[in-house]
Amino acid sequence: MVSTLDDAIVTQSQRPLLGMNQSELTAWVQAQGQPAYRGKQLHQWVYDKGVRSLADITVFPKNWRQAMEKVSIGRSVIHYRSVAADETVKFLLRLDDGQIIETVGMPTEKRLTVCVSSQVGCPMACDFCATGKGGLVRNLATHEIVDQVLTVQAAFEQRVSNIVFMGMGEPLINAQNVVAAVKCLNHDIGIGQRSITISTVGIPGQIRRLAKHQLQVTLAVSLHGSNQSLRTQLIPSAQQYQLTDLLDECREYVAVTGRRVTFEYILLAGLNDSEVHAAELAQLLRGFQSHVNLIPYNPISEVDYQRPSRKRVNQFTNSLKASGIAVSVRYSRGLEKDAACGQLRASKIEP
Ligand code: SAH
């Protein structure tokens, strides 16, 4: 059957406009019988001005604006927000189907970093992480990822400089939409790929696949254990993924992209934070073009892990340094508002 123009309009309008690039937006306006230059205007209003409804695009003809009022741009609604003492802001965003996700905005003097979610919930069930306790609800669509950045940008009235995929979810299970979102954030919002970090627990084959996209993003891999059995104890999915295989894929990522990999390592008192573990970790990563990011554990209510003392954290850091490993410590922000690493969950807070 030959599809009519009306069919085309209906199908096109079902895909939210956010996430489309300028040529896709131009094709879309043309399909609505509008001149091509309106595509550029639409792009500007969606991405630069952050408009929420086509009805608000005042440069468009009034009749058309009204006719297109129901077309979804794809923006979420801020359901709740809390501000921590360090000015970190946690947003609970309500999506079109009523699901709630968390996004965090972290301002510093020179930067505005957004911690974005890639899924509603998470299937990985890492023992120390709040998100994993509720399981996975669904993947986020490309526009739902991009929207988080526009929402934080508008709330802070400041351009976002950095993005970390360290919110809810496992980005490499939703790689297609995450890669599309990275491209959109880069091309359409103008955030440099080198200012974007994708954090993964590691899914067999997926780091290799990501490398093929030849992005310049930073890959951060959640290691957390200095050997296979310790890692499996903390990350159930590690059972199906040998540490040696994970590191091989990371080496390929470095070879293909020319970017070094960051290894994230949560420090849990008495569990993975001893001198023996530091030595084992240094041995594991010797000669690897990488950087270790130590994250002292942020408490969650379901488990009783402990955060090591500052002294232990410093000693662990110094041991790695002494072995020639590049290392930094991340004291997460927004701790008292449950906005720090691993504390995000699909909250049911009523505003
Ligand atoms: N699924 C991805 C990204 C989300 S979590 C991943 O696992 O990498 C982002 C980072 O926060 C990961 O390194 C994760 O292990 C860490 N994290 C999770 N729970 C934490 C907690 N309670 N304290 C400190 N860091 C935590």
Side-chain angles (χ1 to χ4, degrees):
M1 205 181 87
V2 179
S3 78
T4 62
L5 184 60
D6 279 353
D7 281 342
I9 290 174
V10 171
T11 340
Q12 295 256 13
S13 65
Q14 282 168 354
R15 180 182 163 197
L17 301 181
L18 196 61
M20 289 192 198
N21 62 28
Q22 193 167 312
S23 51
E24 289 169 320
L25 290 174
T26 302
W28 185 81
V29 296
Q30 286 181 306
Q32 316 299 320
Q34 293 292 319
Y37 71 88
R38 299 239 180 261
K40 188 172 178 190
Q41 291 178 320
L42 182 56
H43 186 271
Q44 206 170 30
W45 282 73
V46 167
Y47 292 107
D48 297 345
K49 295 187 192 283
V51 79
R52 293 179 161 271
S53 158
L54 278 184
D56 298 334
I57 306 184
T58 50
V59 289
F60 284 172
K62 208 166 189 178
N63 288 347
W64 187 52
R65 274 160 57 194
Q66 279 163 358
M68 293 287 108
E69 209 177 16
K70 293 258 153 55
V71 172
S72 166
I73 288 189
R75 298 302 307 272
S76 67
V77 175
I78 297 179
H79 177 70
Y80 183 81
R81 87 176 85 189
S82 56
V83 186
D86 62 11
E87 293 182 0
T88 292
V89 182
K90 181 169 87 168
F91 299 88
L92 269 58
L93 305 181
R94 195 171 60 245
L95 308 176
D96 255 0
D97 62 354
Q99 291 295 338
I100 302 283
I101 53 164
E102 301 200 357
T103 300
V104 181
M106 296 169 283
T108 55
E109 214 174 296
K110 292 208 179 91
R111 293 177 172 191
L112 175 56
T113 301
V114 187
C115 178
V116 297
S117 293
S118 56
Q119 298 183 310
V120 183
C122 185
M124 305 315 294
C126 299
D127 202 34
F128 44 78
C129 177
T131 313
K133 300 296 171 201
L136 176 69
V137 179
R138 68 170 173 86
N139 279 340
L140 290 183
T142 303
H143 71 274
E144 291 169 331
I145 298 172
V146 175
D147 163 76
Q148 299 173 54
V149 175
L150 290 180
T151 296
V152 173
Q153 193 155 270
F156 280 84
E157 296 179 358
Q158 184 186 335
R159 285 197 68 82
V160 165
S161 60
N162 297 73
I163 294 166
V164 292
F165 281 85
M166 295 185 186
M168 298 166 63
E170 170 44 51
L172 293 193
I173 293 182
N174 188 17
Q176 199 180 344
N177 294 344
V178 165
V179 168
V182 165
K183 289 183 178 167
C184 175
L185 294 165
N186 182 219
H187 298 143
D188 301 301
I189 305 189
I191 296 165
Q193 287 192 14
R194 286 167 180 251
S195 306
I196 299 176
T197 299
I198 296 179
S199 177
T200 179
V201 73
I203 308 293
Q206 286 298 91
I207 294 177
R208 185 169 295 130
R209 210 168 287 166
L210 180 68
K212 294 207 173 102
H213 286 279
Q214 296 272 10
L215 299 174
Q216 283 297 296
V217 297
T218 299
L219 178 69
V221 175
S222 293
L223 203 57
H224 306 331
S226 51
N227 60 55
Q228 179 64 27
S229 81
L230 189 49
R231 191 164 191 266
T232 307
Q233 192 184 329
L234 299 169
I235 305 171
S237 66
Q239 220 148 13
Q240 286 87 43
Y241 200 15
Q242 288 300 311
L243 202 41
T244 44
D245 294 338
L246 169 64
L247 292 180
D248 280 347
E249 283 201 50
C250 292
R251 272 188 205 96
E252 275 183 47
Y253 188 88
V254 175
V256 172
T257 64
R259 307 274 295 147
R260 72 176 181 176
V261 171
T262 296
F263 289 106
E264 294 161 288
Y265 190 98
I266 290 193
L267 287 169
L268 302 159
L271 223 143
N272 66 355
D273 67 336
S274 74
E275 285 305 300
V276 173
H277 297 120
E280 200 171 32
L281 184 59
Q283 176 66 27
L284 196 66
L285 301 181
R286 184 150 297 147
F288 200 119
Q289 205 179 329
S290 63
H291 177 100
V292 173
N293 196 204
L294 299 173
I295 319 171
Y297 167 68
N298 300 316
I300 65 166
S301 55
E302 291 89 343
V303 286
D304 61 0
Y305 292 121
Q306 299 299 320
R307 170 184 277 216
S309 66
R310 258 186 201 259
K311 189 171 164 214
R312 185 82 287 274
V313 173
N314 290 340
Q315 281 169 347
F316 197 93
T317 310
N318 290 336
S319 299
L320 289 182
K321 275 188 192 156
S323 306
I325 304 288
V327 58
S328 55
V329 182
R330 182 201 308 164
Y331 276 101
S332 303
R333 303 182 53 181
L335 201 59
E336 86 280 9
K337 291 288 182 189
D338 281 349
C341 283
Q343 293 184 319
L344 305 185
R345 57 184 87 227
S347 310
K348 293 279 179 276
I349 297 177
E350 290 306 322

